Amino acid sequence: MGALPHVDTSSSATNGANGGSRTIKSWAPATGDLLGEVRVSTKEEVFAAVARARKAQAAWGVLPVEERCERLLRLRDALVERADEIVDVVSRECGKPRHDCLSHEVMITVDLLTYYCKNAPRILAGHDIGLHLLKHKKSSLHYAPRGVIGVISPWNFPFVIPMGDVVAALVAGNAVVLKPSEVTPLSIQKAKEIFDGTGLPEDLFTVVYGYGEAGQALIESGIQKLVFTGGVETGKRVAAACGANLVPCVMELGGKAPLIACADCDVDRTARAIVFGGFVNAGQVCISVERVYAHESIHDDLVARVKELTGALRQGDPQGDATVDVGAIIFPKQIEIAERHIEDAVAKGATVLIGGKRRAGPGQFFEPTVLTGCDHTMTVMKQEIFGPIVPIQKVGSEDEAIRLANDSHLGLNAYVFTKNREKGKRIAQRVEAGSVCVNDVLLNYAAAEAPFGGIKQSGFGRVHGEEALRDMCDARHVFSGRVPEPAADPLWFPYSNKAYRWQMRMLRAVFSRGSIVKRIGKLF
Ligand code: NAD
């Protein structure tokens, strides 16, 4: 079989007021097999799911955080126990190697859940805030669950991306309604099946299926926060809809990760990192190595090694063959995008060092491709590829590499390779990205403690780490007194000339340069 429809838009009946239903079919990109189908949720069903979630949350959110964590560890245990089933579904539905599914989809989810369950009591504990001016008062901050969290997720990591958000939301005391990508509904159906087998309240985590309309319905449903992961153009529409409904949102959008190969890099490790970072999951990773800036002194050696390693990659249907490195491309459009980038780059002077073509079916495959002689006139250096292409540009200095790395509307991940780790960290400070790895690729996503997210048009807000967990809550400021409050507060009515003069003296005493209060350093 050649190109697959993958997303089936043909309705078995019409959706909406007449009560008919549409279905989404899920196809295996590596074989063309039909894997299953799900029913598209109507707007009314999305609203009803949120209403049920709200009821479930009312009981869940008042449990002590320790108890919630204890109960959620049952989910962790079930995910570990049933890891093979998850790998089966995700591997077939995405056409990605089982190895990737285990380490990227299952392991990171399980680790994040473990980290949050272990640390949430500390992270979400209320704490005092020292007040520098209002010394007679006392402030404390408390974290209260927001309510129902909406999650809208993409197809490229159909398990770990949504489940990371789901576990953070649940640990923090919320309920979740998730709309997975229409391209990979079965992966999350498996997650829901496992969740329901743990005895946790069913409505605490609900899945609704569908296309953009179902996502739009979720935004309009009265949720307290949305975590969206997807492309930049969709992200703009989703952020606008969140604005119209005043729904706080996290936007995890596209990437164009640069890799800077310094003159003093370890050429072999750098080449291996480029090949892994560029071709894992067939390049369909928001933090894939999407462009390489190689210092002229190591450029030729690096390119030669990258070519050799790319040529050794084994591509094919990963089912039943654990040695496949690179799997399939999710749907035909991604192949067409790859072809357009290559055509544009070659027309402007780039060379196809290796790869460059789609492979014959069955299934959808595109050869791991390396382009050399690239520059910023080419779309392949400026726009997200999201496919197995690594374009390489030769640079004369590290400053030039940094300037080019920052010449992008995106800023999710970036990579620096140098044997001098301190220099690597210095360069990392100058690269405009949410995360920068020195001598590594992609692995920062697995650091449960560290925030992950983008700057520029790669989005805003963060997932993972302490900040993301706290952001699943409303921060409640409780303000009280240290001393008995007088009946007549000097700052309240009635105003008087005397009170005004007193305030003026206070202002000068506290804020004038060289004031007595300042000199004794009591306040500032
Ligand atoms: P996409 O933007 O096409 O779809 C993402 C989700 O948004 C899907 O569930 C889709 O149904 C939904 N959606 C579409 N229109 C909507 C609307 N109007 N309202 C509400 N929801 C709507 O993205 P995709 O093709 O599934 O994923 C690939 C993109 O995701 C790439 O650009 C990639 O870089 C990005 N991505 C980012 C991260 C990150 O963490 N920053 C991670 C993975 C993928």
Side-chain angles (χ1 to χ4, degrees):
M1 184 175 296
L4 310 174
H6 202 93
V7 179
D8 183 41
T9 47
S10 66
S11 308
S12 53
T14 50
N15 192 15
N18 64 4
S21 64
R22 283 193 297 167
T23 56
I24 295 173
K25 290 187 169 66
S26 173
W27 306 90
T31 61
D33 296 337
L34 178 62
L35 296 173
E37 61 181 48
V38 296
R39 204 172 58 75
V40 171
S41 310
T42 63
K43 183 172 183 175
E44 293 71 25
E45 286 167 338
V46 174
F47 277 40
V50 172
R52 287 196 309 276
R54 193 169 308 292
K55 280 199 185 136
Q57 191 276 331
W60 178 251
V62 294
L63 294 177
V65 61
E66 291 80 1
E67 191 172 335
R68 290 199 300 263
C69 292
E70 192 53 45
R71 294 196 194 180
L72 282 168
L73 283 174
R74 280 190 234 151
L75 175 62
R76 194 266 312 262
D77 298 343
L79 294 174
V80 172
E81 179 71 27
R82 300 178 64 178
D84 246 340
E85 290 173 48
I86 302 167
V87 168
D88 271 346
V89 177
V90 179
S91 173
R92 279 179 210 281
E93 196 167 45
C94 296
K96 64 167 99 175
R98 295 177 66 84
H99 192 288
D100 292 359
C101 297
L102 188 59
S103 57
H104 305 160
E105 305 273 6
V106 182
M107 186 86 85
I108 295 178
T109 306
V110 163
D111 180 55
L112 198 62
L113 182 47
T114 307
Y115 161 72
Y116 276 145
C117 286
K118 194 168 155 204
N119 292 285
R122 172 184 60 78
I123 297 170
L124 298 181
H127 55 89
D128 291 343
I129 305 173
L131 300 178
H132 75 261
L133 181 64
L134 305 175
K135 291 291 186 192
H136 60 307
K137 292 290 181 182
K138 196 172 173 180
S139 277
S140 56
L141 209 53
H142 303 265
Y143 297 98
R146 285 180 185 260
V148 181
I149 307 294
V151 176
I152 298 179
S153 56
W155 48 262
N156 64 329
F157 287 93
F159 196 87
V160 66
I161 288 178
M163 288 310 287
D165 301 329
V166 168
V167 302
L170 294 178
V171 166
N174 303 286
V176 186
V177 177
L178 160 64
K179 193 210 79 67
S181 167
E182 60 273 29
V183 184
T184 50
L186 304 184
S187 297
I188 217 64
Q189 195 180 50
K190 175 59 70 179
K192 173 65 175 154
E193 179 194 316
I194 295 175
F195 180 90
D196 286 348
T198 59
L200 284 155
E202 210 177 294
D203 292 335
L204 213 47
F205 166 39
T206 308
V207 182
V208 293
Y209 297 98
Y211 303 90
E213 308 122 56
Q216 175 71 27
L218 185 55
I219 296 165
E220 293 169 0
S221 65
I223 52 172
Q224 274 63 54
K225 172 179 165 166
L226 178 78
V227 185
F228 172 82
T229 308
V232 172
E233 291 314 313
T234 315
K236 287 179 186 172
R237 285 197 294 278
V238 169
C242 285
N245 289 276
L246 287 179
V247 173
C249 56
V250 171
M251 288 284 137
E252 291 286 344
L253 310 179
K256 186 71 193 161
L259 183 148
I260 297 174
C262 296
D264 62 349
C265 71
D266 175 334
V267 170
D268 192 42
R269 181 168 174 84
T270 309
R272 288 175 188 277
I274 290 169
V275 172
F276 179 74
F279 301 132
V280 69
N281 202 21
Q284 302 166 115
V285 186
C286 55
I287 51 176
S288 285
V289 173
E290 284 246 342
R291 50 199 171 116
V292 174
Y293 302 104
H295 192 275
E296 59 191 8
S297 63
I298 46 94
H299 173 272
D300 293 356
D301 288 348
L302 184 70
V303 162
R305 189 70 181 121
V306 166
K307 182 180 181 187
E308 192 182 347
L309 292 164
T310 303
L313 291 173
R314 296 150 302 183
Q315 189 176 33
D317 175 10
Q319 292 312 312
D321 183 358
T323 65
V324 165
D325 300 308
V326 181
I329 301 293
I330 195 79
F331 45 50
K333 194 181 100 191
Q334 289 303 132
I335 293 187
E336 287 154 21
I337 292 171
E339 286 173 339
R340 278 204 298 276
H341 278 303
I342 294 171
E343 202 179 310
D344 173 79
V346 169
K348 290 171 180 162
T351 302
V352 178
L353 187 70
I354 186 167
K357 301 187 299 297
R358 63 172 79 197
R359 276 186 20 188
Q364 293 144 185
F365 293 91
F366 197 86
E367 295 172 348
T369 300
V370 180
L371 302 175
T372 53
C374 297
D375 63 44
H376 275 218
T377 63
M378 301 168 185
T379 61
V380 77
M381 296 298 281
K382 298 284 284 176
Q383 292 168 16
E384 192 178 42
I385 306 166
F386 228 59
I389 303 176
V390 172
I392 303 180
Q393 177 165 356
K394 191 192 281 190
V395 292
S397 69
E398 282 146 17
D399 278 347
E400 185 187 359
I402 295 167
R403 183 180 59 73
L404 289 167
N406 291 340
D407 177 22
S408 174
H409 64 295
L410 299 171
L412 191 54
N413 251 33
Y415 309 111
V416 181
F417 280 74
T418 163
K419 284 186 193 145
N420 181 339
R421 203 174 288 147
E422 289 312 309
K423 179 176 107 181
K425 289 198 248 174
R426 281 198 302 277
I427 293 177
Q429 302 281 347
R430 295 173 59 197
V431 178
E432 295 163 0
S435 305
V436 187
C437 299
V438 178
N439 295 330
D440 215 325
V441 285
L442 313 183
L443 194 61
N444 61 297
Y445 190 80
E449 298 84 349
F452 177 83
I455 60 171
K456 300 181 176 175
Q457 292 197 13
S458 289
F460 47 80
R462 294 293 179 263
V463 296
H464 300 180
E466 298 191 1
E467 290 87 345
L469 188 64
R470 289 201 193 100
D471 198 51
M472 286 291 180
C473 297
D474 289 322
R476 192 156 299 153
H477 174 202
V478 176
F479 187 67
S480 60
R482 283 181 186 282
V483 291
E485 289 88 358
D489 196 293
L491 292 173
W492 295 356
F493 300 140
Y495 287 161
S496 67
N497 288 333
K498 190 175 161 202
Y500 183 83
R501 284 195 300 275
W502 177 79
Q503 274 203 52
M504 184 61 81
R505 277 201 302 278
M506 278 286 292
L507 177 85
R508 291 186 174 140
V510 175
F511 296 107
S512 304
R513 283 169 193 267
S515 73
I516 290 197
V517 176
K518 234 173 174 175
R519 275 208 302 275
I520 50 180
K522 281 261 159 64
L523 290 176
F524 301 101

